[in-house]
């Protein structure tokens, strides 16, 4: 039962598809899709997959992540997984999992932490030297190191909060417009009803674009973080 507009973000509500079902379904779907390259005959949807892979690969080729084995496959799979999860939240009675900070943080934190651990084991001195910009005044060195360290530590939080906030805001606005649109069927004029229906349709199309853009930004930021990995 929905009590307010924020109840749609509670996975304990009786919705058509819960958080756990979505996570399992789309995780298995991602595995099946990316294992299609090992099939004897490529499926027809392989052309669509190449579009997503080339989009992510175009960004990774400009970064140091190209030299990391398997980094392209991980980000390409993550890109498609986030698109599936974001778009599924726009289906009526389907739980929006990416609007929860726990889900987005569980995706961003391991990738960020793996880059940090890999950089430390690869070249510890280079990682420590990267905390201090070149040519900085000596009296400011301790403060610059602290600022750089804090900026690195908050990256998984900002990465996850950005995805969660954008997806949550979009679903809340859609819910508000839907409530007013439903009430307009009984209490407003025909012009107001048609205007609200038009706004709902255009904003839903806008949310489709936001879902894809947020997935792209999430993967793009992780790619940019790989640039600081020591060569």
């Amino acid at each position: 039962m929905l009590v307010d507009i924020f109840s749609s973000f509670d996975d304990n509500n009786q919705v058509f598809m819960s958080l756990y079902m979505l996570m399992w379904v789309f995780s298995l779907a991602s595995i099946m899709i990316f294992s299609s390259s090992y099939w004897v005959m490529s499926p027809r949807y392989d052309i669509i997959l190449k579009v997503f892979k080339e989009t992510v690969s175009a960004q990774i080729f400009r970064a140091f992540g190209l030299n990391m084995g398997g980094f392209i496959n991980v980000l390409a799979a993550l890109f498609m997984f986030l698109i599936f999860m974001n778009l599924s939240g726009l289906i009526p009675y389907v739980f929006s999992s990416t609007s929860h900070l726990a889900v987005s943080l569980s995706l961003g934190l391991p990738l960020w932490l793996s880059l940090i651990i890999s950089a430390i084991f690869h070249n510890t001195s280079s990682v420590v030297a990267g905390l201090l910009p070149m040519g900085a005044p000596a009296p400011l060195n301790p403060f610059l190191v602290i600022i750089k360290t804090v900026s690195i530590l908050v990256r998984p939080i900002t990465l996850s909060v950005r995805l969660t906030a954008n997806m949550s805001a979009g679903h809340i606005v859609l819910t508000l417009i839907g409530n007013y649109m439903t009430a307009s069927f009984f209490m407003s004029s025909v012009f107001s009803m048609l205007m609200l229906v038009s706004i709902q349709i255009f904003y839903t199309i806008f949310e489709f674009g936001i879902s894809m853009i947020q997935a792209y930004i999430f993967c793009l930021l992780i790619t940019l973080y790989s640039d600081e990995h020591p060569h």
Side-chain angles (χ1 to χ4, degrees), residues 2 5 9 23 26 29 31 39 42 61 65 73 86 105 115 124 139 149 151 153 161 179 187 193 200 206 215:
L2 297 181
I5 59 176
F9 304 112
M23 294 291 289
F26 290 128
I31 295 175
W39 296 358
S42 299
F61 288 156
N73 294 330
N86 292 343
L105 189 61
L115 290 174
T124 306
T149 304
S151 65
L153 293 178
V161 170
N179 291 337
M187 296 183 296
M193 180 185 66
Q200 181 80 341
F206 177 74

Side-chain angles (χ1 to χ4, degrees), residues 146-177:
I146 295 175
I147 293 173
K148 182 64 176 180
T149 304
V150 172
S151 65
I152 294 176
L153 293 178
V154 299
R155 282 177 178 177
I157 300 177
T158 57
L159 186 68
S160 305
V161 170
R162 179 184 290 105
L163 176 63
T164 302
N166 282 279
M167 299 311 300
S168 301
H171 294 311
I172 290 174
V173 172
L174 283 175
T175 304
L176 289 173
I177 298 175

Side-chain angles (χ1 to χ4, degrees), residues 100-136:
H100 270 258
L101 185 60
V103 176
S104 57
L105 189 61
S106 64
L107 295 174
L109 182 60
L111 291 173
W112 167 84
L113 189 60
S114 62
L115 290 174
I116 296 297
I117 295 177
S118 175
I120 293 175
F121 278 95
H122 184 72
N123 194 339
T124 306
S125 59
S126 178
V127 175
V128 176
L131 298 177
L132 184 63
M134 296 181 59

Side-chain angles (χ1 to χ4, degrees), residues 180-181 184 188-199:
Y180 284 112
M181 184 179 64
S184 67
S188 301
S189 61
V190 178
F191 175 77
S192 300
M193 180 185 66
L194 293 177
M195 184 178 65
L196 288 173
V197 170
S198 301
I199 294 175

